Amino acid sequence: MAATLMRRVVVDYLRERQAEKRGGDQLFIALDDMNQREAPSQGDHVDWLAVDQALTEFAQAAPDAARVVELRLFSGLTKEEIAEVCGSSRATVGRQWRFARAWLAERLDVVPGDEDAG
C-alpha cells in the first residue's frame, strides 16, 4: 500500500509541476543507477510520468510483475522483502523484476542495465 501511495504522490507532484512549467524541468530517474533507499533526483535518465504510464499498461498484462516494480521503485524494498510481501520466492521476484525491466525498457526506449543487486 505504501508503494502505491508513494507512486501516486510522485506522479501527482510531477503532473502538477509539469502543468505549471508547461513541460519544463521534469523529474527523472535512472532505474539501474537508483540506490535501493534513494529518493528520486533530478538530472537522471527516465521520465517518471512515462514510467507510470508504461507501468499502468504493463499491469494489465502482468499484474504480479508490475507489483514487483511498484514495490521496488516506490518503496525501495529488496527482492527478499518483496518476496515476503507477495508470498512468493526470491527467484520468482527476480524473474518478474528482469521481465518487467526488459518490457519497460523496450516500452520506454531505454537500454536495461546489468543491475541484479538487492
Side-chain angles (χ1 to χ4, degrees), residues 24-97:
D25 299 332
Q26 295 183 30
L27 188 61
F28 295 92
I29 188 162
L31 298 178
D32 295 329
D33 297 335
M34 186 179 78
N35 184 334
Q36 289 270 3
R37 307 283 183 199
E38 190 175 75
S41 62
Q42 290 181 325
D44 289 331
H45 310 316
V46 179
D47 178 351
W48 273 112
L49 294 177
V51 169
D52 178 64
Q53 183 177 5
L55 190 54
T56 299
E57 182 180 326
F58 182 60
Q60 294 175 4
D64 292 339
R67 182 73 177 139
V68 168
V69 173
E70 187 174 65
L71 289 169
R72 182 112 173 174
L73 293 182
F74 294 97
S75 72
L77 296 178
T78 65
K79 289 179 186 175
E80 291 82 5
E81 293 166 332
I82 293 169
E84 186 176 325
V85 167
C86 294
S88 59
S89 70
R90 184 184 188 280
T92 297
V93 169
R95 281 190 299 275
Q96 290 171 329
W97 174 246

